[in-house]
Amino acid sequence: MYKLLGGLKDYLKWQDIVTDNAIFRLHNLFTTVLLLTCSLIITATQYVGNPIQCIVGKGLPTHAINTYCWITSTFTMPDAYLREVGSQVAHPGIDNDFGEEDHKKYYTYYQWVCFVLFFQAMLCYVPKYIWDSSEGGLMKSLVMGLNVGMCHEEDKCKKKKILIDYLLRHVRRHNMYAIRYYFCEALCLVNIIAQLYFMDSFFDGEFISYGLRVMTFSEQAQEDRVDPMVFVFPRVTKCTFHKYGPSGSIQKHDSLCILPLNIVNEKTYIFLWFWFMILATMLGLLLLYRLAIILFPSLRPHLLHARNRMVPREVAAAISRKTDIGDWWILYMLGRNMDPIIYREVMAELAKKIETAASNSP
């Protein structure tokens, strides 16, 4: 198992220079690794074990029926889930269909699950790819190794001067940098919501309410209970196979099929349901937070001061007054990456030079 999943640990390695938010990384890195892990586990389970095992009658080859039912579909009878197992029905959802095709619920998703999870993982990585491409290593270039406090004084002073000169020359020119990043955060929320509806469509409208039904299952009366995990991911289904008899007439063969892979699927998707709901909530709150930063500039000095308590409030206020949202975001992210003492010195000197430049301008 470690050999199978060990390569994914590279996605979660520590970043020396941070250019994004923790929630952004939860979407782009953790969720991508989570979905790839689920895809690999289901793929291994599918091909190492037997994903389907059907009970067939005499004269029928078991392997052929297993293959046929796996690549086509199996079905249950939804109205049989409320009947008593052992006396009225053999298994939940298993009953005579009496030739009524409209009453059957077909399951065709199980052979596609591993591919869909992989596709979802790629979609979760898209915002990071877009941001890394548009960011272009700017933050790493600005930090210049000043994230390490123990450095030569002359070298440190030289790098601080280069950084301050850059910030003064390019003041009010970083708005697109912030807009691109905020766009990528919004893209994360769009992706999660779209994936929730995609999975709901993939499971015939059963996924959006899946977690809520699982949570309320134990609170329902015994006679009204229908296990939502068994309903969405049945362990036993039916499959109909037709073949020609000795005289050329069509014979119908009913088979009971056991789907052990659904034991893995049901646990995988209940975890994904909770994770996607939590992540969508966090991303929604994050976008509201970003909107507040854009609409209420008075919040920015407080956030700069909170980023590094050693930066005086008056310094943070002076810088925030003379900069746009893009410059403010650059300075805020520098506070996350630079040594706190060096960052305080840079901010103090930058505030003085910005005020001087503003007073000298006509």
Side-chain angles (χ1 to χ4, degrees):
M1 184 62 72
Y2 178 77
K3 290 182 180 179
L4 181 66
L5 305 176
L8 297 177
K9 69 179 185 298
D10 292 336
Y11 287 93
L12 302 176
K13 62 184 178 181
W14 178 259
Q15 300 177 4
D16 293 330
I17 303 298
V18 177
T19 62
D20 48 26
N21 180 269
I23 298 175
F24 189 71
R25 291 194 298 276
L26 281 177
H27 173 276
N28 299 327
L29 297 178
F30 179 79
T31 306
T32 297
V33 171
L34 174 64
L35 291 168
L36 286 175
T37 300
C38 294
S39 177
L40 287 173
I41 290 174
I42 290 174
T43 302
T45 305
Q46 178 173 321
Y47 290 105
V48 172
N50 195 343
I52 189 170
Q53 185 66 50
C54 296
I55 303 172
V56 300
K58 294 181 180 179
L60 292 175
T62 302
H63 179 71
I65 300 300
N66 288 341
T67 304
Y68 170 81
C69 294
W70 175 255
I71 63 176
T72 55
S73 63
T74 59
F75 66 91
T76 59
M77 304 297 292
D79 60 347
Y81 279 99
L82 292 174
R83 299 176 188 173
E84 187 177 348
V85 176
S87 59
Q88 296 177 311
V89 294
H91 299 279
I94 303 301
D95 196 13
N96 196 326
D97 55 42
F98 297 106
E100 297 179 352
E101 288 291 327
D102 294 340
H103 293 176
K104 296 178 181 179
K105 178 177 175 60
Y106 283 92
Y107 300 89
T108 58
Y109 62 81
Y110 37 74
Q111 64 266 48
W112 295 102
V113 167
C114 58
F115 302 106
V116 168
L117 288 171
F118 179 82
F119 174 69
Q120 289 180 256
M122 295 300 100
L123 288 179
C124 285
Y125 194 77
V126 167
K128 175 176 172 55
Y129 178 79
I130 295 174
W131 171 238
D132 286 347
S133 300
S134 61
E135 201 271 340
L138 176 62
M139 188 57 56
K140 185 176 182 180
S141 300
L142 293 178
V143 173
M144 296 181 292
L146 293 176
N147 53 335
V148 180
M150 300 296 292
C151 59
H152 196 275
E153 186 67 25
E154 183 180 350
D155 186 45
K156 181 177 72 172
C157 292
K158 186 184 298 184
K159 289 179 178 179
K160 285 196 306 182
K161 183 179 184 306
I162 294 172
L163 174 59
I164 293 170
D165 288 345
Y166 170 85
L167 293 172
L168 289 172
R169 283 198 314 270
H170 295 85
V171 69
R172 301 183 186 277
R173 295 182 185 177
H174 294 108
N175 284 349
M176 285 306 299
Y177 183 89
I179 289 171
R180 289 191 192 103
Y181 175 69
Y182 296 158
F183 169 78
C184 290
E185 285 188 336
L187 190 61
C188 292
L189 180 60
V190 171
N191 174 61
I192 288 297
I193 293 175
Q195 287 203 29
L196 282 170
Y197 282 98
F198 168 74
M199 286 189 283
D200 192 59
S201 175
F202 185 60
F203 293 113
D204 295 327
E206 301 289 345
F207 186 76
I208 291 294
S209 60
Y210 180 52
L212 292 175
R213 286 184 287 135
V214 170
M215 288 191 293
T216 57
F217 170 66
S218 59
E219 300 175 3
Q220 297 173 353
Q222 186 69 37
E223 59 273 10
D224 297 329
R225 286 186 181 184
V226 176
D227 188 344
M229 289 195 288
V230 174
F231 185 76
V232 181
F233 303 101
R235 291 89 181 259
V236 181
T237 56
K238 294 183 69 175
C239 179
T240 303
F241 181 76
H242 295 89
K243 77 178 190 70
Y244 286 103
S247 63
S249 59
I250 296 178
Q251 297 178 342
K252 176 182 176 181
H253 297 273
D254 245 0
S255 300
L256 278 181
C257 295
I258 301 172
L259 297 171
L261 188 62
N262 271 353
I263 297 293
V264 180
N265 286 336
E266 67 180 19
K267 307 301 188 299
T268 298
Y269 277 98
I270 190 60
F271 182 81
L272 289 180
W273 186 91
F274 281 106
W275 175 244
F276 271 56
M277 290 299 179
I278 292 171
L279 188 57
T281 302
M282 290 192 295
L283 285 168
L285 294 174
L286 178 62
L287 290 186
L288 291 177
Y289 171 64
R290 297 292 183 226
L291 190 62
I293 291 174
I294 295 171
L295 297 179
F296 303 103
S298 58
L299 291 174
R300 297 172 197 170
H302 301 288
L303 295 173
L304 272 182
H305 175 69
R307 179 73 269 164
N308 188 332
R309 296 287 182 178
M310 290 190 288
V311 176
R313 292 181 185 275
E314 56 272 14
V315 170
I319 291 176
S320 298
R321 282 196 305 269
K322 303 298 181 181
T323 55
D324 287 337
I325 183 66
D327 305 309
W328 178 88
W329 179 248
I330 288 282
L331 293 170
Y332 183 82
M333 293 307 296
L334 283 173
R336 297 194 63 181
N337 290 287
M338 291 176 62
D339 176 77
I341 297 177
I342 298 176
Y343 179 70
R344 180 193 62 187
E345 296 170 356
V346 169
M347 293 291 282
E349 191 170 346
L350 181 64
K352 290 178 184 178
K353 292 192 175 184
I354 284 181
E355 290 288 356
T356 302
S359 61
N360 291 337
S361 61

